[in-house]
Every structure is written in C-alpha cells, then in structure tokens.
Amino acid sequence: MFKQLVNECLVDLHIKVEGPVLIKSGLAQVSGPDMAWVRVFRNGREEVYLPGSSLKGVLRSHAERIARTLNPGAACDPFADTSCGRIFDKKKPETAQAYQDACLICKLFGCTGFAGRLATTDAYAVGTPPEPVQRDGVGIDRFSGGAAHGAKFELEVITEGTFETMLHLRNFELWQLALLGFVLQDFSDGLIRIGMGKSRGLGKVCGEVQKTRIDFLGPKAPQVVNGQLTLRGVGSLFDGAGDYGMVSPDEVTVPYDGEVSSNGLRTSVVFPAQTFPWSAIADRWVQRATDFTDLLASERQGGRR
Ligand SMILES: [Zn+2]
C-alpha cells in the first residue's frame, strides 16, 4: 500500500480468560505435556502469552463469518485455490489493482499483493502471569482440536488471567473501522474463542476495550469544531484513493468532547473505555458488504478446486 500514513486507530484491548484456554506451542516437547502452552522469555522468566499472529487469525476468521452473513461473496476462502492471495500469486497485479480486486476481508487483513491494514501485537499478562495447569486431554483431537479419537494425553491450560494487546489499524476506510467495531462487540460478548479445542469448550475469553485512539495526519486531517469531529476514512484523506477503489468521500461526523492534541498536521483524539461511537459508523460496513461485487468472480470460477 502507499507509504504515506493518513489515519490510524489504536485499540487497547484486554483479553480476559473465562475458562480453560490453550494456545499451543509450535515447538516439539521433549518431556512434559503433549500439548504445552506457548511461552516467551520476559522479565527474567518464562511466561505464557497470546501471540499476535494467532489473535489476528482469530479476528480474521470471525470477520469472515460476519461478512458472509451479509454477503456470501464478500469473503474469500483463504485456504482454497480461489482465494485472493492464490489468484494474485498467478496474476501479480500492482498493489492498487490488487487492493481494488480483493475481497473485503483481504482488504482489511491482507494477502499476497499487499499488507493488511490491521496489525495485532503479542498479548502479555497484565500483572502476574497465570501458571498453566495440566489436564487430561481425552476428547480433544490433538491436531485439529476438533473430533475426538479417545486417545489419552496431557495438555496444559490456563483458567485465569488477563492479557493486553494493541490493535493497530492504519490507513483505514470507515467501513473497515466499522467492521472492527462489530468484531470487538462479539469479542466483548464472549462469542470469539481462542486457541485449541474451541468446539470442545476450551478457549472462552472476553475482550474488553480499554481505550480507542484515532489519529489523522496530513493537510486534510479534521479538527474538532464546536464539539463535533468528522471521522475521515482514507478515501477523504488521500488523493490517490480512487486508484484503489476506495470509498470516496468517506466521512461521518460524531460528537466529541474529549481531549484533542493537534498541531495542524496531526489530530489525535482518545475515547476512554468503551465510549467510541461504533454505532455512528456501523452502517458504513453494512452498506459496503451489501453492495460488494466480487471483481475476481470469473477467476474464482476458473480456479475452483
Ligand atoms: Zn480475499
């Protein structure tokens, strides 16, 4: 994507463990449980954490589900030959064209051809990291976490603890911010599970937004005027947005009475706790998903497995 940064959204998110959770280490275990927690060396000791890449994967698949309920064609199947990434592997379009052609989920999370708009940092424990306990893993398939085979083995779970991550959305269109809002709502309602054995009752967590910060940069950065802030998507901030097929103009005005730091080129606003007005932009996502036309439809037909 273009190098110039015109807007960004940073969501400080706490993930609270509400039942047994296992994020499996990719490393082979010489001794100990068959399925061990992924750990990181931090503050002079080893502790469990939630890798940013697996969090991003969980958010992506949930966003796919949300997209398909509105429009089955709005999300490609990332594992199929008909995925945007596989098609771009063969076609090698330039970045603007790839972004224009991609499904809505790839436009947000990325694929071959361009990096995603959303990044998630590794989530570390808030306070003392929880200690994993060993559980008997009968009933959880050791590879997929799905079907049971009856073989007995040991796994490690944590049953308490809170982890903190930062979601970082750069150069977003308003519909992308709105989709993130729907995902966060479901996360807070406990509808998103993480890690192994999701269909067997593991992975229950709750995502709680602590703070949402939005920055606008460049000559078109909006100012807060009379308690009103115009949220601007990239289509209203970047002159080349048309080449990417972005929504343009792309803005919604919301009330804002918080602190503003602004130097004329960068405007920064902060919404504490869960005060970000997601409902004011929700229709941007619904509209975009409903109207979405798959520009790769003919290529997907040809490449179907
Ligand atoms: Zn796609």
Side-chain angles (χ1 to χ4, degrees):
M1 195 81 116
F2 46 92
K3 292 202 172 70
Q4 183 190 353
L5 180 65
V6 293
N7 65 15
E8 58 184 334
C9 172
L10 290 109
V11 178
D12 180 349
L13 183 71
H14 278 189
I15 299 166
K16 237 175 99 194
V17 172
E18 300 204 314
V21 173
L22 166 62
I23 311 273
K24 198 164 81 81
S25 163
L27 301 173
Q29 300 295 310
V30 179
S31 61
D34 304 293
M35 279 206 244
W37 250 89
V38 61
R39 285 173 166 83
V40 64
F41 196 77
R42 189 167 161 262
N43 300 330
R45 50 169 285 181
E46 284 214 311
E47 62 179 59
V48 297
Y49 77 112
L50 316 177
S53 55
S54 42
L55 288 175
K56 191 175 164 186
V58 165
L59 298 180
R60 179 178 182 129
S61 33
H62 194 78
E64 280 170 18
R65 233 167 290 151
I66 292 175
R68 290 196 188 106
T69 59
L70 284 169
N71 180 344
C76 72
D77 174 355
F79 302 108
D81 284 344
T82 56
S83 73
C84 304
R86 293 283 184 82
I87 292 170
F88 297 152
D89 264 340
K90 285 181 223 139
K91 261 178 45 168
K92 306 211 186 311
E94 42 93 23
T95 302
Q97 191 62 49
Y99 184 87
Q100 177 148 195
D101 289 352
C103 78
L104 294 183
I105 298 305
C106 287
K107 282 191 216 292
L108 177 56
F109 291 90
C111 63
T112 306
F114 56 93
R117 311 287 80 220
L118 184 74
T120 49
T121 64
D122 291 340
Y124 299 119
V126 177
T128 311
E131 286 298 334
V133 291
Q134 291 208 5
R135 287 272 173 97
D136 175 358
V138 171
I140 295 170
D141 179 87
R142 50 198 308 155
F143 298 110
S144 68
H149 291 304
K152 193 181 161 165
F153 61 98
E154 293 286 308
L155 55 82
E156 272 188 341
V157 295
I158 57 167
T159 56
E160 56 178 13
T162 299
F163 296 84
E164 180 170 32
T165 186
M166 188 70 82
L167 308 183
H168 197 168
L169 183 60
R170 295 162 72 90
N171 286 341
F172 59 83
E173 300 187 70
L174 285 184
W175 66 261
Q176 292 171 320
L177 186 61
L179 172 56
L180 182 64
F182 280 100
V183 172
L184 288 171
Q185 180 63 55
D186 286 350
F187 214 172
S188 131
D189 290 344
L191 299 176
I192 301 181
R193 290 184 178 234
I194 62 169
M196 303 290 295
K198 283 179 252 193
S199 61
R200 300 272 151 183
L202 295 194
K204 201 161 182 294
V205 290
C206 168
E208 277 176 5
V209 173
Q210 305 296 302
K211 187 169 78 177
T212 303
R213 189 183 106 197
I214 312 250
D215 291 358
F216 299 98
L217 300 95
K220 294 181 179 174
Q223 310 299 319
V224 175
V225 180
N226 297 331
Q228 301 285 310
L229 167 70
T230 301
L231 296 171
R232 289 203 172 122
V234 63
S236 279
L237 296 165
F238 175 61
D239 290 332
D243 299 341
Y244 291 79
M246 290 164 169
V247 176
S248 181
D250 189 19
E251 46 188 64
V252 171
T253 300
V254 298
Y256 182 75
D257 59 6
E259 266 184 52
V260 186
S261 60
S262 177
N263 62 6
L265 284 181
R266 183 184 194 114
T267 302
S268 200
V269 292
V270 175
F271 299 85
Q274 285 103 49
T275 58
F276 186 82
W278 296 107
S279 57
I281 56 169
D283 69 317
R284 298 304 163 118
W285 157 247
V286 175
Q287 201 62 47
R288 185 71 182 92
T290 313
D291 292 349
F292 178 75
T293 313
D294 185 7
L295 297 174
L296 297 176
S298 58
E299 273 124 305
R300 294 196 216 276
Q301 296 291 326
R304 202 155 285 283
R305 50 180 178 181

